[in-house]
Amino acid sequence: MAMAVAPQHRESSSSGSINKHLTDNGKYVRYTTEQVEALERVYAECPKPSSLRRQQLVRECPILSNIEPKQIKVWFQNRRCREKQRKESSRLQTVNRKLTAMNKLLMEENDRLQKQVSQLVCENGFMQQQLQTAPAATDASCDSVVTPPQHSLRDANNPAGLLSIAEETLAEFLSKATGTAVDWVQMPGMKPGPDSVGIFAISQRCSGVAARACGLVSLEPSKIAEILKDRQSWFRDCRNLEVFTMFPAGNGGTIELVYSQVYAPTILAPARDFWTLRYTTSLENGSLVVCERSLSGSGAGPNAAAAAQFVRAEMLPSGYLIRPCEGGSIIHIVDHLNLQAWSVPEVLRPLYESSKAVAQKMTIAALRYVRQIAHETSGEVVYGLGRQPAVLRTFSQRLSRGFNDAINGFNDDGWSLMNSDGAEDVIIAVKSTKNLISANNPAHSLSFLGGILCAKASMLLQNVPPAVLVRFLREHRSEWADFSVDAYSAASLKAGSYAYPGMRPMRFTGSQIIMPLGHTIEQEELLEVIRLEGHSFAQEDAFVSRDIHLLQICSGIDENSVGACELVFAPIDEMFPDDAPLLPSGFRIIPLESKTKDAQEALTSNRTLDLTSSLEVGLATNHAAVDGSSCHSLRSVLTIAFQFPFESNLPDNVATMARQYVRSVISSVQRVATAISPSGSSPALGPKLSAGSPEALTLAHWICQSYSYHLGAELLRSDSVGGDSILKHLWQHADAVLCCSLESLPVFIFANQAGLDMLETTLVALQDITLDKIFDESGRKALFTDFAKLMQQGFACLPAGICMSTMGRNVSYEQAVAWKVLAAEENTVHCIAFSFVNWSFL
């Protein structure tokens, strides 16, 4: 194995430490250049050789025969120490460069704020002076101060006019990127630091919605500009971007006329399009600028018929300022839009009037994408299954794009609405096609298809944390998905597959295996393969595996993240090629209001409402639980879209199946959302504490009554067991109280707050946990030993022991009491209850 030759030994140089080492007796051992080269070759193969390997080295290498194995051990120890110091030094230099660049950005931000303060002081003094003058003079003076320069639309008819607009756009953009043209405030939850993506700000009191970002990226300015101009690669909501005209500007720059389309995030709002001028130029200080603005209103642009499904939005001067610096470039990004919020239902307007939403979807996404490319270029990103980063990025983009296409259902893509059964909760759209062609290889096309059918719906979630809901849907697929439907979709990828569910019955084992493929550097998006284990019921192939594989992206599952949360998946073949055809389905949850601590404390409603019913009667029917602070409660819009392939002779059958399936998914999601909805002091239980849940109240009575009956003692204080308050007091009990079913494989069916905390789970996920999983070996033996006693006398006391949470953490308890929970007749055993006394994590 070829290695670099070590430098010659010099007594006075620091590099001489390579050739001499201090032995145990305090004397230096000097190594020749040949000896160092031989040791370096071994170190490259094995930095920490064993004693036998070192002895073998001495025997096999004659030039090391005069060196004892112990001395060679010291050499390797010193070599590893130097390597560790070198890596640490490199890391510190990288951090120092980041801090230097961040300090520069903060100093510029401080200068901008000082200029803004000076400007406000001057304006304040000017206004005070004007108040003392005549009203007419005041009007004239104010007009001269606040009237902004207006560009004439007639200038867009010739290159000279476009260059004038471009120069004006450049000046306005720079005043936003580095000046005081917009009143910027720091974006909540995005504090700058050496490990942060950058510095983020949103607009306050300005026309439209605006966001700004500054960050350091280790790429050349020209490469960054190339990436950012390809908006479809990093802006997932960008459906199309076409450059209709491009001509050089007199100063060495270029001017482009660009038409772009942006997907609508839900089925409740139309998509947007833009007709803009984009100007790319260099500044005198070496900076590169790409700035852009809308040219006119709804009258200009390409074919009006193609834009019939879009609402023309306005882009105010926006763009990218890219400045070269040591170690890369400093990027300033500004997005300033007017999204025409009047064109969407009132419930969705906060989304279109939110600068924070623009920052999350565009500004932060752009900076994160550029940093992702920089990390991949440097080789710092490692992905699984041997896939290249560019291929995995393409998979993520195709999943997201296919899901957006399904939600929007554009006519020019071939989508049309089917007649419904009179219910408006699920929309059915169909796209007829003889072939669903794969990305690059026709051999991977779905040649038998008659078309694609999409069933989609939207609903309003009230007081449901989006990240928690999406994380649950990802980890507990069996709670909402139907395996036979997954099998039907997956079968479309295989030759000779069946065309309708039920033709080949399957059994789902309930097991899903998540195999990660890759993630972004901040892990805000995960790309993974899901394997669902299944077997056929048919006797002839009962032992043949019928596993289903799904390619899936999941984003926004960190509870501290802001913006939309998504879970999008598509069936794939087990050995999916890079250009495999994808048919994405999934969920998207978009918060309509920012999530703050004060808003969480004000949450009082625990209902998951259908969007149409909530607009009419939903809020009125919940008046008993909502106080004056309810306007601050967390609301979000959930959009569901599922795509199904079908043969030309079965569209009606598949449409009926799809409508029923999506309704069942909605029902399951509502049940999950109700369970995880926070409510005052008991966030995990949600509405089960309310009077509308008689089952939970009845079970609480049975638990307490059976405890007293068997043990002759009170589980709760005597003043706490009367009426409806018994459930609340049991829920808040200090000891962990859990109930499991009486089955061959007992599963938990109830737990109080302490029990959920001990197991580190939720009420909905609790039903997936079996009794034997929480005890260690000694705990299981003690339980099995005392089980007969438990069933005979009604209770058993287990000694101190250790159990395990669902997260793998050990939990110690001083004592555990188990007792039979009897139904009201006192002769029917409903379940087994456990109380873990004085438990704590180890």
Side-chain angles (χ1 to χ4, degrees), residues 239-240 242 244 259-262 271-273 301-312 410-413:
R239 179 187 184 232
N240 185 34
E242 298 180 66
F244 279 82
Y259 176 70
S260 57
Q261 297 173 341
V262 177
R272 265 56 182 161
D273 66 352
N303 186 357
Q309 286 186 277
F310 297 85
V311 171
R312 179 61 53 86
F410 293 112
N411 294 335
D412 56 354
D413 284 339

Side-chain angles (χ1 to χ4, degrees), residues 667-719:
S667 177
S668 299
V669 171
Q670 286 178 325
R671 176 175 55 85
V672 172
T674 300
I676 67 175
S677 177
S679 175
S681 61
S682 51
L685 188 59
K688 291 183 181 294
L689 284 180
S690 66
S693 180
E695 295 83 3
L697 181 61
T698 301
L699 180 59
H701 278 286
W702 290 352
I703 292 172
C704 296
Q705 292 171 358
S706 299
Y707 187 94
S708 302
Y709 177 81
H710 293 302
L711 283 84
E714 298 292 339
L715 181 63
L716 303 177
R717 299 193 314 269
S718 57
D719 57 347

Side-chain angles (χ1 to χ4, degrees), residues 485 488 500-501 644-645 652-662:
V485 174
Y488 163 68
Y500 189 67
F644 305 89
D652 294 334
N653 293 340
V654 175
T656 301
M657 178 272 294
R659 183 178 288 110
Q660 294 174 351
Y661 180 60
V662 170

Side-chain angles (χ1 to χ4, degrees), residues 301-468:
N303 186 357
Q309 286 186 277
F310 297 85
V311 171
R312 179 61 53 86
E314 180 183 8
M315 180 183 293
L316 289 81
S318 308
Y320 321 107
L321 169 62
I322 311 168
R323 300 187 299 177
C325 69
E326 181 183 358
S329 306
I330 295 177
I331 312 177
H332 297 256
I333 303 176
V334 173
D335 292 302
H336 194 174
L337 307 173
N338 181 356
L339 296 174
Q340 311 298 336
W342 56 266
S343 62
V344 301
E346 186 174 356
V347 69
L348 292 180
R349 289 183 186 175
L351 179 62
Y352 288 78
E353 296 172 343
S354 169
S355 294
K356 189 175 180 181
V358 171
Q360 186 67 27
K361 294 171 61 176
M362 295 185 65
T363 319
I364 299 176
L367 187 54
R368 280 175 169 166
Y369 185 81
V370 175
R371 292 183 76 242
Q372 181 76 23
I373 298 297
H375 277 251
E376 293 174 0
T377 304
S378 64
E380 298 179 24
V381 180
V382 179
Y383 288 100
L385 301 185
R387 302 282 178 166
Q388 294 296 320
V391 173
L392 297 182
R393 276 203 315 274
T394 301
F395 274 127
S396 297
Q397 292 164 359
R398 290 175 57 200
L399 281 173
S400 182
R401 182 178 182 86
F403 186 59
N404 278 321
D405 282 334
I407 291 176
N408 286 261
F410 293 112
N411 294 335
D412 56 354
D413 284 339
W415 289 100
S416 60
L417 296 180
M418 289 187 67
N419 294 329
S420 66
D421 60 358
E424 300 296 334
D425 55 338
V426 177
I427 297 174
I428 302 294
V430 64
K431 178 167 68 173
S432 298
T433 175
K434 295 182 179 179
N435 252 334
L436 181 61
I437 304 298
S438 70
N440 300 308
N441 190 350
H444 296 138
S445 303
L446 309 184
S447 57
F448 73 94
L449 293 179
I452 306 298
L453 185 144
C454 178
K456 49 192 175 180
S458 284
M459 55 192 290
L460 181 69
L461 302 178
Q462 193 84 0
N463 304 333
V464 177
V468 177

